[in-house]
Amino acid sequence: MSAYACRFCNAPLDLTFCDLGMSPLSNAYLRPAQLQAAEKFYPLHSYVCERCWLVQLPAHETPDHIFGQDYAYFSSYSDSWLAHCKAYCELMIKRFSFGATSQVVEIASNDGYLLQYFKAQGVPVLGIEPAANCAAVAESKGIPSLVRFFGVQTAQELRDSGRGADLLLGNNVLAHVPDLNDFVAGLKVALKPHGIVTMEFPHLLQLMAHNQFDTIYHEHYSYLSLLAVRGIFARHGLTLFDVQELPTHGGSLRIYARHGEDDSRPVAAAVAALLERETAAGLDAAAAYRKFERQVQETRYKLLEFLIGAKREGKRVWGYGAPAKGNTLLNYCGIRADLVEGTVDRSPHKQGLYLPGTHIPIHPPAKLAEAKPDYVLILPWNLREEIVQQMAHIRGWGGRFVVPIPQVQVLA
Ligand SMILES: [Zn+2]
């Protein structure tokens, strides 16, 4: 019996989805001076609600602590992600004819990585971003940004100031929201009568099918199926009228929502078709969720066998990337600098710091050519193609890439 209640429907959470042990906040990168100090660890134990099938992690820290001032993630550093955002912008303008009289509002707009493309097309934009350092970068690029968390209160403020949204979007934000009801109720408030909401989030069906347990971390409160999201939106008067499957983050959904009252947009067949696939995969019953944890443990044993085997043979292993998911993986598996000597990351905001919990040092990518490791473990496996291409020169010294998920694999 857990002490937690579902963050959407308030039913008691008794069914474990996956218990990954104790883990620090995955974005709590450490400065050298912090290495000798105590670190906070929290239970990384997720549950599934047996009433609404929302998979979730109880919150142990306030969002302000997690996404406050020093939040180290700047979206603009992955080429494939930027290409994805540009394509999204073009698709929206083409499909819904947004233009100079429309208002595009992005929730969790970060450094303006996405809104810059709407701005370039002459569409008025507004970013809502809780991390002041990210919002300041956006402002410097000419993208107006409010430093706020989104919810009913912020939505009211938008409407009162005449900035209701024709397009209200949020990429990888729905899963990061602790008060899901306040957030979705806010979408309803901020949306103009014929406005459109789009949200992208990693798809639970893919997480389970491809063993992506490392996408479970403290900043990520909900793991979403279309089934669960449809119920949440419906309760707040919003109807999903289309859905697309995307390759991003290991398999995401892009949902399209409108006011329940706005029947100018019929519900596409894709919605029912995907719900049917989720039901066929058992996402509306306990049995499928019960099997997940065993599969995760097996992944850990295999990765450790590989790393210990490499060590015994005198091979050297480095990491590539310092993403949140890497911290879940390394902490859960108990991998430290004896098994993975160091990692490299393109973001200058992370270089010179250490991974939380495991204390593996983060260097600039050029460091790999100096270290010449035998294996490079790709931590952001969702960017695997891009990284293999960018870092092809490791083959020059006989280096090989390794991916940890869905099962450890040395790439040819
Ligand atoms: Zn529930």
Side-chain angles (χ1 to χ4, degrees):
M1 202 66 154
S2 89
Y4 301 109
C6 173
R7 66 168 40 91
F8 168 57
C9 78
N10 217 34
L13 293 178
D14 294 323
L15 182 57
T16 287
F17 179 57
C18 189
D19 183 357
L20 297 173
M22 298 295 286
S23 188
L25 296 182
S26 59
N27 281 308
Y29 300 95
L30 301 169
R31 291 186 292 276
Q34 293 172 294
L35 293 178
Q36 306 304 323
E39 265 180 279
K40 267 193 179 179
F41 282 64
Y42 304 85
L44 196 54
H45 186 154
S46 50
Y47 298 86
V48 60
C49 174
E50 291 168 89
R51 190 196 286 165
C52 70
W53 304 112
L54 179 65
V55 173
Q56 54 200 290
L57 200 58
H60 299 288
E61 267 294 352
T62 64
D64 209 41
H65 183 90
I66 295 181
F67 302 110
Q69 290 276 342
D70 287 333
Y71 191 49
Y73 183 66
F74 281 77
S75 300
S76 292
Y77 291 101
S78 149
D79 297 340
S80 58
W81 181 243
L82 289 178
H84 170 81
C85 295
K86 188 161 188 274
Y88 164 81
C89 168
E90 283 160 7
L91 177 74
M92 289 297 110
I93 288 176
K94 196 169 157 214
R95 179 168 172 186
F96 300 110
S97 312
F98 296 118
T101 58
S102 312
Q103 177 70 60
V104 174
V105 177
E106 183 183 13
I107 303 165
S109 49
N110 209 286
D111 59 2
Y113 71 102
L114 183 146
L115 288 178
Q116 62 181 337
Y117 299 114
F118 281 104
K119 184 178 146 66
Q121 299 292 317
V123 183
V125 297
L126 176 66
I128 315 278
E129 170 53 52
N133 58 341
C134 296
V137 175
E139 287 275 356
S140 74
K141 293 189 225 167
I143 290 158
S145 303
L146 286 180
V147 181
R148 297 270 196 295
F149 283 101
F150 185 82
V152 170
Q153 200 185 338
T154 303
Q156 209 82 54
E157 202 183 314
L158 290 182
R159 235 185 35 184
D160 293 348
S161 63
R163 287 180 289 184
D166 295 288
L167 173 61
L168 184 54
L169 73 116
N171 288 341
N172 301 308
V173 57
L174 196 57
H176 291 74
V177 172
D179 190 346
L180 205 47
N181 284 315
D182 181 62
F183 183 90
V184 179
L187 297 178
K188 176 89 182 164
V189 172
L191 194 65
K192 284 189 187 166
H194 294 287
I196 291 161
V197 176
T198 73
M199 296 267 139
E200 291 180 21
F201 48 82
H203 191 191
L204 179 66
L205 189 66
Q206 303 296 337
L207 186 158
M208 291 169 74
H210 303 291
N211 207 22
Q212 300 160 349
F213 67 89
D214 58 346
T215 61
I216 300 174
Y217 45 83
H218 298 295
E219 292 84 342
H220 201 170
Y221 297 111
S222 304
Y223 302 84
L224 303 161
S225 61
L226 187 64
L227 194 75
V229 171
R230 189 183 60 151
I232 296 164
F233 274 58
R235 175 161 142 203
H236 292 284
L238 295 166
T239 298
L240 304 190
F241 70 91
D242 203 357
V243 61
Q244 277 174 288
E245 289 183 273
L246 307 168
T248 46
H249 294 283
S252 296
L253 293 185
R254 177 186 293 148
I255 54 160
Y256 295 75
R258 54 156 166 87
H259 286 288
E261 303 83 352
D262 174 17
D263 36 25
S264 64
R265 295 178 207 285
V267 177
V271 176
L274 189 51
L275 286 171
E276 209 166 289
R277 271 175 51 212
E278 290 190 346
T279 308
L283 296 194
D284 61 344
Y289 298 100
R290 278 207 181 94
K291 284 189 289 196
F292 185 65
E293 194 173 62
R294 182 69 193 84
Q295 177 184 324
V296 169
Q297 289 165 348
E298 191 54 35
T299 306
R300 173 174 178 234
Y301 305 146
K302 288 196 171 131
L303 179 58
L304 284 171
E305 276 168 1
F306 168 79
L307 290 173
I308 293 168
K311 185 82 190 171
R312 297 270 186 233
E313 288 169 22
K315 308 271 194 205
R316 297 173 59 211
V317 183
W318 274 60
Y320 186 98
K325 60 167 72 69
N327 288 325
T328 291
L329 179 82
L330 298 169
N331 275 297
Y332 168 64
C333 295
I335 296 165
R336 295 187 184 77
D338 61 324
L339 295 179
V340 175
E341 289 176 38
T343 191
V344 299
D345 197 281
R346 282 171 81 191
S347 168
H349 302 281
K350 292 179 183 172
Q351 294 163 5
L353 302 179
Y354 290 77
L355 299 182
T358 60
H359 295 194
I360 294 171
I362 310 168
H363 297 279
K367 184 79 179 178
L368 274 188
E370 254 174 70
K372 296 191 172 47
D374 300 285
Y375 295 109
V376 175
L377 180 67
I378 299 179
L379 296 172
W381 44 258
N382 52 308
L383 304 175
R384 143 186 180 167
E385 265 94 55
E386 182 179 339
I387 292 164
V388 166
Q389 219 168 36
Q390 276 167 8
M391 304 301 293
H393 60 276
I394 75 160
R395 298 185 197 277
W397 66 78
R400 299 179 76 184
F401 290 105
V402 181
V403 286
I405 302 286
Q407 301 292 351
V408 65
Q409 186 196 353
V410 179
L411 302 185

